[in-house]
Amino acid sequence: MDLRIIILQISYIIIFAKMLAFGFISQDERKCKYLKVDRLTKVKCFDMNLREVPQFLSTSVEVLDLAFNRIKKLKRHSFKRYGKIKYLLLYENMIQSVEPETFAHLSSLQEIDLSNNALLTIPLEIFQLPSLRNLYVDSNDLINLNNDLKRLEKPIQAPLEYFNVAECGLQDLPDIGIVPYLWQINASSNPLKEITTETLATMCNLKSIDLLKTQMPICACHQILDYINIRKIKNTFLPMCQIPVGAELDECPPLYNITVGLPEYEQCNQATLSAAAKSTWLTIAGCLSGVFLVLLILLYCIRRRKRRKEKKKEMKREKKRFINPTTATTTNNIIQQDECMICDTA
Ligand SMILES: *[C@@H]1O[C@H](CO)[C@@H](O)[C@H](O)[C@H]1NC(C)=O
Ligand SMILES: *[C@@H]1O[C@H](CO)[C@@H](O)[C@H](O)[C@H]1NC(C)=O
C-alpha cells in the first residue's frame, strides 16, 4: 500500500517535470518577480527556463533580468513593449541571432549584458544607442565581428565607458572608432596577435585594461607595456612579457610616440574637450534657468500679494459704499440694479 502511494507520487513529479520541460505550463504561471532597486522598477525573470522574452511584463520595467534562461533568438518585437529599459541582463542564455531593430528604440538603455551566449558578432545597432555606457559581450565566439565592424558608422553614438570583450576569440581589439568616454576595456582570454595602434589611439581616456591570458607575441606585449607605463594607466592586468633567450627587441618600436602622433588620438582628445565644454555649458545653462525660475516665482508672489492688498482695499471701499450709497457712482448703481434683477428672477 505505502509503496503504491510512493510510486504514484513519483510518477506525478515526473509528469509535472515533463510538462514544465515541454512548456505545457505557461510562463505566466511561473511569475517573474517585481522589485524596487535604487528607485528603479526591476523585473527578475532569472533562471526560469524561458525560451523567449516574455511579453506579459509591466511596460514600465527599467531593469530587466532575463539571465540564465534558454533564449536562442532575439526578435524585432522582443523589447517593443519595454521602451523604458535602462539595464538589460541577458547573460547565460543561448542567443545566436538578433534581428535588426531589436534594440534600436531603447533610447534609455545604459547597460546591456550579453555575455555567455552563442553570438558570432555584436549587433551594430547597439553601438548607436544614445545612452549606452556599459557593454558586456564576453564569452561569445565573435568570429564575424571584425568583418561586420567595417560597416559600423563612426563615430558611434553610444557614450561607451566600459567594454568587456573577454574570451571572444579575438586576435585584435575591436575597432569601433573614437570612444572618448571609454575608460575600461577587458580583452582578457583572447588569442591577441597584436594591438593595432590606431585602435589604441581611439581610446585616449583609458584608465583600466585587462589583457590577462592573451598570449600576446613578445613585441606587441612590450609595446603595450611601454604605452601603458607612459600613459600612466594604473589599473591594469597584464601578462608577463617574457623575452626568449637571445631575442632582440630592436625591431620593436615603442608604441607611445606612434600612438600619440596619430590623428585618431587627436580626434579623441578633441571629442573629450568638446564633451567637457558641452557639460560646462549645460551646467551653466542649468544654473541660469534655476535662477530664472526663482525670479519668476518671486515676481509671481509679489504680484499676488499686491493684488490681494488691492482687493482688500476695494472690499473696504465697497463696504463704505454699501453703508453710504450716495457716494456710489452711477455705473455702480446700474450694476447693483442688474444684480438685483437677477436675484429677483432667480
Ligand atoms: C574581465 O572579464 C573576465 C570574464 O568576464 C573576468 O573574469 C575578469 O575578472 C574581468 N577583469 C576585470 C579586471 O574586471
Ligand atoms: C617619445 O615621446 C616622448 C614624450 O613626448 C619624448 O620625450 C621622446 O623623446 C620620444 N621618443 C622618440 C623615440 O621619439
Side-chain angles (χ1 to χ4, degrees), residues 138-139 162 164 166-167 184 186-188 208 210 237:
D138 43 312
S139 298
Y162 175 88
N164 194 335
E167 219 177 310
Q184 188 170 10
N186 186 343
S188 62
S208 169
D210 187 345
F237 305 86

Side-chain angles (χ1 to χ4, degrees), residues 4-17:
R4 243 201 253 164
I5 289 169
I6 289 169
I7 289 170
L8 208 69
Q9 273 177 352
I10 288 173
S11 55
Y12 272 142
I13 289 168
I14 289 170
I15 289 168
F16 185 72

Side-chain angles (χ1 to χ4, degrees), residues 67-118:
F68 282 94
N69 281 293
R70 299 161 63 80
I71 300 168
K72 274 195 183 145
K73 190 172 176 184
L74 296 178
K75 296 179 187 153
R76 193 168 282 121
H77 69 257
S78 290
F79 303 105
K80 265 271 132 42
R81 299 180 64 238
Y82 311 126
K84 291 184 180 153
I85 297 182
K86 291 194 169 112
Y87 299 85
L88 182 54
L89 310 177
L90 287 160
Y91 57 90
E92 293 280 358
N93 273 280
M94 303 153 96
I95 302 166
Q96 295 167 347
S97 64
V98 179
E99 280 183 3
E101 288 168 48
T102 300
F103 304 115
H105 66 293
L106 300 176
S107 55
S108 306
L109 194 63
Q110 294 177 20
E111 176 173 313
I112 184 164
D113 192 337
L114 286 160
S115 58
N116 289 284
N117 275 289

Side-chain angles (χ1 to χ4, degrees), residues 23-203:
F24 287 141
I25 293 177
S26 76
Q27 287 158 1
D28 299 56
E29 283 167 50
R30 289 171 289 146
K31 285 248 157 63
C32 298
K33 287 196 182 77
Y34 283 73
L35 310 155
K36 272 276 179 206
V37 180
D38 293 334
R39 291 203 204 147
L40 296 175
T41 309
K42 178 170 179 174
V43 180
K44 200 172 167 187
C45 310
F46 182 90
D47 195 9
M48 285 176 45
N49 227 2
L50 298 175
R51 281 151 195 259
E52 298 221 4
V53 176
Q55 294 300 310
F56 51 82
L57 309 171
S58 160
T59 53
S60 57
V61 53
E62 290 169 297
V63 184
L64 181 54
D65 185 354
L66 291 163
F68 282 94
N69 281 293
R70 299 161 63 80
I71 300 168
K72 274 195 183 145
K73 190 172 176 184
L74 296 178
K75 296 179 187 153
R76 193 168 282 121
H77 69 257
S78 290
F79 303 105
K80 265 271 132 42
R81 299 180 64 238
Y82 311 126
K84 291 184 180 153
I85 297 182
K86 291 194 169 112
Y87 299 85
L88 182 54
L89 310 177
L90 287 160
Y91 57 90
E92 293 280 358
N93 273 280
M94 303 153 96
I95 302 166
Q96 295 167 347
S97 64
V98 179
E99 280 183 3
E101 288 168 48
T102 300
F103 304 115
H105 66 293
L106 300 176
S107 55
S108 306
L109 194 63
Q110 294 177 20
E111 176 173 313
I112 184 164
D113 192 337
L114 286 160
S115 58
N116 289 284
N117 275 289
L119 290 172
L120 302 176
T121 188
I122 305 171
L124 293 187
E125 64 189 55
I126 285 182
F127 294 108
Q128 311 301 354
L129 292 170
S131 309
L132 193 77
R133 295 187 285 113
N134 303 334
L135 175 57
Y136 295 79
V137 283
D138 43 312
S139 298
N140 284 279
D141 206 5
L142 301 178
I143 51 172
N144 294 342
L145 181 63
N146 266 342
N147 213 18
D148 285 355
L149 284 183
K150 287 178 194 149
R151 289 186 290 115
L152 181 67
E153 230 174 276
K154 296 172 195 169
I156 60 167
Q157 301 296 310
L160 213 57
E161 294 175 22
Y162 175 88
F163 192 20
N164 194 335
V165 283
E167 219 177 310
C168 289
L170 300 176
Q171 300 199 344
D172 195 353
L173 293 183
D175 177 16
I176 53 171
I178 309 291
V179 272
Y181 301 96
L182 192 79
W183 67 272
Q184 188 170 10
I185 188 161
N186 186 343
S188 62
S189 307
N190 279 299
L192 293 182
K193 282 210 174 121
E194 58 171 346
I195 289 185
T196 311
T197 44
E198 279 83 359
T199 308
L200 203 58
T202 59
M203 310 171 186

